[in-house]
Amino acid sequence: MDFSIPAELSMFVDSVRRFRERELMPLEQRFLTEGRFTPQERRDLQERARSQGLWALDVPEEYGGQGMGTLATCLVVEELYKHPGMFEFGGSPEPVLYQADEEQKKRYLYPVIEGERRSCYAFTEPGTGSDFARIATTAVRDGDNWAINGTKIFISEVDRADFCILFASTDPEAGSRGITCFLIDMGTPGFDASRPIPTMGDDWEPYELSFSDCVVPDSARLGPVGGGWALANEQLTHGRLKIAAFQLGIAQRCLDMAVEWAKERVTWGKPIATRQGVQWMLADSAVELEAARYLVYRAAWMADEGQPIRNEAFIAKLYATEMAQRVTDRCLQVFGGLGYSKELPIQSFFRQVRVWRIGHGSSEIHRWMIARNLLGLSSRD
Ligand SMILES: Cc1cc2nc3c(=O)[nH]c(=O)nc-3n(C[C@H](O)[C@H](O)[C@H](O)COP(=O)(O)OP(=O)(O)OC[C@H]3O[C@@H](n4cnc5c(N)ncnc54)[C@H](O)[C@@H]3O)c2cc1C
């Protein structure tokens, strides 16, 4: 197995770096003080990026995008996540939308690519997270319509969304094979964004969604009845790898800052960089970050070669998210009290990385899946 980063891709990532330095970094101090970008600020930033050609990067060329692959996507988010605002370029739809029929594409996919509409993605429920197949939200067919009832929880980006990609059970006896996907406009009667849920992450306020006799036509169904989990599963793999790539940017930024600070901060007449206790924190962080980087890049390269990466994505996300937790913690320690203060982004990164060990499959579920693959066990074992 051999891979390298093509020179033109490195040059493109340089342009992303320049965007981050010019457009995002000047907003960092205000972001840290206020703890958020407003939805309008995010849109404005995305439009500025668009005017510089940074738009719909991973969208296939046949849909008017730039057709960049998985490795390119990982390198881009790695660069962007060096800013704590979790900013991403616009025009990238949730991959399930490519499975939509032509009418649905006109209503949802193309407007997302154009930046006219945005989605949220609703799977998790109060009683069902890791064990997704047991979702209790039901969609019951009545002629040409479906009646949807249930509650979703921890749904991100609801405040920015125009429609919801909803997963509901259409056959509770059939487990994951009884899950169906629907596209539902915000504001549909019976569909309510019932409450925001403040979290320890800056600027991250997921919502509870409630569906009470929410009636949608069969044309709102995305993919076959019972085919929702198969649609979601592929997306989860690539989502996991992207999350692993976020961690590289976060950890790199914190480590770069900690290295500079260690050289600057003097105690007992010497920079703390000369103390072995500090050096080891930096060295361990560098080693773990480099190991995570190769796991992510290798899996991304394999995906671009058309190889399956389900297990590789589990491994990369598990290692990278736990690495980022350790690295942000050590870097905060190197900064002492300053690291804990909101004058620096370290504390924001430290809080942000915590969620990635939970969302998109927790560390424990990842270990379970990796062990299952290792031991050759099936989903029934
Ligand atoms: C900020 C935020 C944003 C989110 N955004 C979205 C979103 O946009 N859309 C969406 O659908 N969901 C979203 N989620 C939900 C997220 O995907 C779930 O929180 C995650 O899947 C875990 O589910 P849970 O919280 O119900 O934990 P649980 O499944 O209740 O797990 C609790 C603990 O038990 C452990 N555990 C569970 N089962 C096992 C087992 N068999 N073996 C060992 N350990 C086990 C878990 O690892 C975890 O540590 C978001 C969550 C957060 C916090």
Side-chain angles (χ1 to χ4, degrees), residues 121-131 153-157 199 204 206 355 357-365 368:
Y121 190 88
F123 224 115
T124 308
E125 300 184 355
T128 317
S130 305
D131 48 348
I153 202 163
F154 293 127
I155 308 307
S156 302
E157 309 207 337
T199 70
W204 206 345
V355 76
R357 288 169 49 206
I358 298 169
H360 250 74
S362 65
S363 286
E364 293 70 34
I365 301 302
W368 178 22

Side-chain angles (χ1 to χ4, degrees), residues 113-266:
I113 294 171
E114 277 309 308
E116 292 157 1
R117 303 193 82 188
R118 289 167 185 78
S119 62
C120 63
Y121 190 88
F123 224 115
T124 308
E125 300 184 355
T128 317
S130 305
D131 48 348
F132 54 84
R134 294 169 199 274
I135 54 173
T137 295
T138 54
V140 176
R141 192 156 197 163
D142 179 12
D144 274 349
N145 292 331
W146 294 87
I148 299 173
N149 282 284
T151 305
K152 296 286 175 182
I153 202 163
F154 293 127
I155 308 307
S156 302
E157 309 207 337
V158 168
D159 57 344
R160 304 165 208 172
D162 302 287
F163 67 97
C164 177
I165 302 170
L166 174 79
F167 293 84
S169 175
T170 43
D171 181 358
E173 302 298 308
S176 61
R177 289 196 181 83
I179 294 172
T180 303
C181 181
F182 296 89
L183 301 174
I184 307 185
D185 291 332
M186 307 306 273
T188 300
F191 170 21
D192 190 27
S194 18
R195 68 178 172 110
I197 304 167
T199 70
M200 66 187 266
D202 282 331
D203 202 10
W204 206 345
E205 198 165 68
Y207 272 70
E208 181 181 275
L209 304 178
S210 64
F211 295 85
S212 175
D213 289 330
C214 173
V215 176
V216 296
D218 191 46
S219 59
R221 173 170 52 82
L222 173 58
V225 174
W229 174 241
L231 286 175
N233 212 2
E234 185 55 27
Q235 167 155 1
L236 279 172
T237 292
H238 287 270
R240 281 188 188 112
L241 196 56
K242 205 168 141 185
I243 289 171
F246 300 163
Q247 315 309 311
L248 306 179
I250 293 170
Q252 187 68 62
R253 172 90 194 280
C254 291
L255 182 57
D256 289 346
M257 290 180 69
V259 165
E260 287 311 307
W261 180 248
K263 289 192 273 189
E264 206 176 300
R265 176 67 165 171
V266 173

Side-chain angles (χ1 to χ4, degrees), residues 233 278 293:
N233 212 2
V278 172
R293 181 166 279 129

